[in-house]
Amino acid sequence: MRTLKVALHQMNYTTGDFRGNFERTKASILAQRQADLHVLPECAVANYAAGDYLLEADYQQAIVHWTEQYRLLSEEAGTTIAVGTPLRGKVQGRKMGNGLVVFERGRAVLSQFKTHLPNYDVFDDVRWFEARGEQTGADAEMGVLRFQAAGGPVTLGFCICEDIWFDDVTHDLRQMGAEVIVSLNASPYAIAKGNFRRRLFAQRIQETGLPLVYVNQVGGNDELVWEGCSAIMDPAGAIHEMAIGGEGSATVTLADEGQGFRLTETQAPVQLTDPQERYLIVGLGLRDYIEKNGFQDVVFGLSGGADSTLVAALAADVFGPAKVNAVMMPSPYTSSGSNTRAAEFAAGVGAGFSAISLPITVEYEAGLAKFRNAFGRDMGSLADENLQAQIRGNTLSAISNDHGRRAILGTSNKSEILMGYGTLYGDMRGAFNPLKDLYKAIDVFPILEMRLAQAQNPDPLFASIWEGAFGKPLEAYDAKAQAALRAVIDVEPSAELKHNQRDTDSLPPYPRLDAVLWEMEDAKERQTDAEIAEKLGEPLEFVQDIRRRVRRAEFKRFQSPPGPKVHRKSPTTKDRRFPLTARFTG
């Protein structure tokens, strides 16, 4: 009987930290010494999220140097390592090729370029890489590797990420004699992508009759988050999948008893609820942006509303209350209920996080007086409201600057950002906005409900997955924090920038608004306004007005802080590439 022990290394890399990335991967490899083959993610050496660094000569030289370190490691450890790394290109000069190298005991036994380069959504591979088809000679070829495993040789076929989404590469590998397909990946998260990916893998396996090894990156880089979920699937339908969100490694055995390689042990995919999964993903994006950029802790405005409360809950769960700093900045229009909710929630999460009150009434009234003295009249309503938000933004900036390494977190949700319902340099100010791709009705309120339920009646699976991903448990809520969160969920949304203000004064009710926005932004097919109106049973004028407001707010989104991609299309500069200056109204 032939057996093949494959180590899946689900790693969290930081762009440019070549030594740190290598050392953490080396430790992971040495911890799985029993494996015959170690598989790393796509672009493990460079980090797939390196962007235009991939075009810089000094970065390319560093890639070559650190790729060599993996060869030396394979020799030192007496093992075989498949590492994703850019390879020197042959045609277009500045570009390298997205590739992989297999090092066996100090020898490069296979080198291969990626065949299909994605150039859609957040992907821009054509900008940075050459494809296999652009190469000449041996570099243009795709090969298989005759690998000596226990009980006899096994032929391995390798591909890189996008290649597995097409049937030609796996078909060719099968024709060349491959018995196992190994795919190196850096496939970022998007809602529902996990199940879609598993169905696609099952289709490739059915077509080839071969097991598939899938290794994916994990963690956040800027606006992208990788969920991991590295796995092996076999033709019998068995699967061994690593947990979502956690960095780590696992050695999984494939055995051939005469009918091809099959898994000897299985581990079912983790099935979280949608709110649990989205909370985990934005948490990963938040943690890695803050920690990889060297911030020590975070600060944000806490109003007692849904968005800022979700940011507070998330920050406490990710970093622990000791690193969470909230500022309550009441104005003459802030209700006592808002202040109470904010204060009681802050005090009752874990050991409680820092929440100070810095009222803005004095600065606000001074601003009104200054305007009145200069122009002989009161400010207009919009300027009046924006002044309050900008004073709050200035307050947070002063606190951040005084500390030095304290990051401001944004608290604007996707519904508001798309509609331009926010103040530049005010409530849209921040280093990072974890809610940037979370709709108010679709995401924010269901996530708050989930977090309250977790505090009252914990789901052990979610608690375990969270601790595995973050190395710390979810924070406990005392009775007052639970009651405050319940009140936050139940209160009607309001910016509280004037007397008796409600969000519905400026926006449609969020469930109705989000239904239209989702069809515009995240539905699989592009639809006209008329098609959306018919589908949802809404007046065409209603849909058209929302579209116009979305288009007018492009300049605000462009200047807003980064945030993690969650949905199919996020309001980030990676996903949205509309001009800021345009007169198209549709």
Side-chain angles (χ1 to χ4, degrees):
M1 180 178 70
R2 295 183 298 166
T3 61
L4 177 66
K5 295 180 178 180
V6 183
L8 315 178
H9 295 277
Q10 185 166 287
M11 306 304 297
N12 185 346
Y13 293 126
T14 301
T15 299
D17 185 14
F18 288 99
R19 182 176 299 278
N21 294 339
F22 175 77
E23 292 298 336
R24 71 194 302 124
T25 307
K26 178 180 179 178
S28 183
I29 289 172
L30 296 180
Q32 301 292 336
R33 286 182 179 273
Q34 73 274 28
D36 303 312
L37 172 67
H38 299 269
V39 184
L40 307 183
E42 175 185 17
C43 271
V45 176
N47 192 13
Y48 183 75
D52 279 2
Y53 277 125
L54 294 164
L55 302 175
E56 296 292 322
D58 53 353
Y59 201 83
Q60 293 176 353
Q61 290 172 4
I63 290 169
V64 173
H65 171 79
W66 285 100
T67 301
E68 170 67 6
Q69 305 315 300
Y70 283 95
R71 184 191 69 78
L72 296 174
L73 175 60
S74 75
E75 182 176 31
E76 173 191 333
T79 192
T80 302
I81 304 170
V83 55
T85 182
L87 302 172
R88 283 296 189 193
K90 304 298 182 184
V91 179
Q92 296 186 28
R94 290 185 64 194
K95 293 183 182 180
M96 301 179 82
N98 191 345
L100 65 86
V101 182
V102 180
F103 294 117
E104 183 177 20
R105 299 177 184 270
R107 296 184 304 117
V109 292
L110 180 72
S111 176
Q112 187 169 302
F113 284 75
K114 190 174 182 178
T115 300
H116 297 286
L117 299 183
N119 194 41
Y120 55 86
D121 293 343
V122 300
F123 304 106
D124 210 359
D125 278 32
V126 173
R127 177 182 177 89
W128 301 312
F129 297 119
E130 295 176 15
R132 181 170 62 85
E134 297 178 79
Q135 309 308 306
T136 58
D139 287 333
E141 303 300 321
M142 181 169 59
V144 293
L145 176 64
R146 186 81 164 167
F147 183 78
Q148 186 61 44
V154 54
T155 303
L156 304 175
F158 291 85
C159 60
I160 304 172
C161 204
E162 189 78 2
D163 294 346
I164 205 71
W165 294 75
F166 297 86
D167 60 7
D168 60 334
V169 174
T170 51
H171 173 270
D172 289 350
L173 291 172
R174 178 70 177 89
Q175 292 297 108
M176 297 168 70
E179 298 174 276
V180 178
I181 303 294
V182 181
S183 180
L184 285 63
N185 304 267
S187 182
Y189 175 87
I191 283 174
K193 190 175 181 180
N195 287 331
F196 179 79
R197 190 190 288 135
R198 293 181 193 99
R199 291 193 298 271
L200 178 80
F201 292 166
Q203 183 178 339
R204 294 289 93 86
I205 292 167
Q206 182 182 31
E207 293 163 356
T208 61
L210 303 178
L212 171 67
V213 176
Y214 166 81
V215 175
N216 195 24
Q217 188 171 324
V218 71
N221 277 276
D222 296 347
E223 294 170 319
L224 298 182
V225 182
W226 288 263
E227 79 270 34
C229 296
S230 302
I232 299 180
M233 299 174 67
D234 73 17
I239 184 170
H240 189 292
E241 183 169 301
M242 296 178 67
I244 184 172
E247 183 179 34
S249 58
T251 295
V252 183
T253 301
L254 287 163
D256 177 21
E257 297 181 350
Q259 295 183 331
F261 282 93
R262 302 290 186 269
L263 284 163
T264 62
E265 67 269 12
T266 62
Q267 183 169 292
V270 172
Q271 295 294 335
L272 299 176
T273 67
D274 286 346
Q276 288 172 341
E277 185 173 280
R278 294 169 200 189
Y279 194 69
L280 178 76
I281 292 299
V282 296
L284 291 174
L286 172 61
R287 179 198 65 190
D288 285 347
Y289 188 87
I290 297 304
E291 293 185 353
K292 290 178 180 181
N293 282 291
F295 292 107
Q296 295 175 354
D297 58 18
V298 297
V299 63
F300 53 91
L302 183 62
S303 68
D307 300 318
S308 65
T309 302
L310 178 52
V311 170
L314 185 68
D317 283 334
V318 169
F319 303 114
K323 293 186 177 182
V324 177
N325 303 275
V327 186
M328 297 178 290
M329 296 172 279
S331 77
Y333 307 117
T334 303
S335 69
S336 60
S338 295
N339 286 327
T340 300
R341 291 191 300 272
E344 292 187 348
F345 185 76
V349 173
F353 58 83
S354 171
I356 61 171
S357 181
L358 296 176
I360 67 167
T361 300
V362 172
E363 296 97 318
Y364 169 59
E365 291 180 346
L368 295 180
K370 182 184 292 186
F371 192 93
R372 192 178 300 117
N373 291 337
F375 298 101
R377 61 177 177 82
D378 289 332
M379 282 183 168
S381 176
L382 180 60
D384 186 308
E385 294 180 31
N386 286 345
L387 175 62
Q388 297 168 65
Q390 287 155 353
I391 291 169
R392 288 173 172 139
N394 287 339
T395 301
L396 294 174
S397 289
I399 292 171
S400 173
N401 293 338
D402 180 66
H403 183 273
R405 299 305 302 166
R406 177 169 290 167
I408 302 173
L409 299 185
T411 57
S412 295
N413 62 69
K414 183 174 185 175
S415 309
E416 296 171 349
I417 290 171
L418 287 173
M419 294 292 284
Y421 188 60
T423 303
L424 275 176
Y425 327 120
D427 57 314
M428 294 183 72
R429 189 181 312 206
F432 194 76
N433 179 7
L435 310 188
K436 187 164 187 173
D437 200 20
L438 296 180
Y439 289 104
K440 185 83 162 194
I442 294 172
D443 300 310
V444 170
F445 283 114
I447 291 173
L448 287 173
E449 292 278 9
M450 177 279 297
R451 191 59 187 89
L452 178 59
Q454 186 70 25
Q456 295 173 333
N457 186 24
D459 176 353
L461 174 62
F462 180 56
S464 173
I465 293 298
W466 183 275
E467 189 159 2
F470 292 92
K472 66 173 292 297
L474 293 157
E475 297 295 325
Y477 292 0
D478 69 13
K480 285 188 175 181
Q482 292 179 31
L485 183 50
R486 179 74 267 163
V488 166
I489 295 169
D490 292 341
V491 73
E492 187 176 355
S494 171
E496 293 191 327
L497 295 174
K498 59 183 179 181
H499 287 300
N500 299 317
Q501 185 183 43
R502 296 291 180 266
D503 284 4
T504 49
D505 297 341
S506 303
L507 299 173
Y510 284 110
R512 190 179 175 198
L513 172 64
D514 284 1
V516 174
L517 290 174
W518 192 90
E519 294 293 341
M520 288 180 177
E521 297 292 313
D522 291 297
K524 186 175 181 181
E525 301 298 332
R526 298 293 92 192
Q527 304 169 87
T528 66
D529 292 347
E531 289 170 335
I532 293 172
E534 182 179 4
K535 182 176 182 179
L536 298 178
E538 292 283 6
L540 176 58
E541 295 77 11
F542 175 73
V543 176
Q544 289 174 328
D545 180 62
I546 291 174
R547 178 81 73 181
R548 281 191 293 268
R549 293 181 65 175
V550 170
R551 285 175 173 156
R552 285 201 303 266
E554 201 64 46
F555 77 102
K556 286 189 178 182
R557 283 185 293 277
F558 188 81
Q559 298 180 70
S560 66
K565 175 182 171 67
V566 176
H567 285 272
R568 182 174 179 269
K569 186 167 186 175
S570 61
T572 68
T573 54
K574 282 185 171 63
D575 255 349
R576 296 186 66 87
R577 305 191 185 187
F578 292 98
L580 304 186
T581 306
R583 292 182 178 177
F584 180 69
T585 58

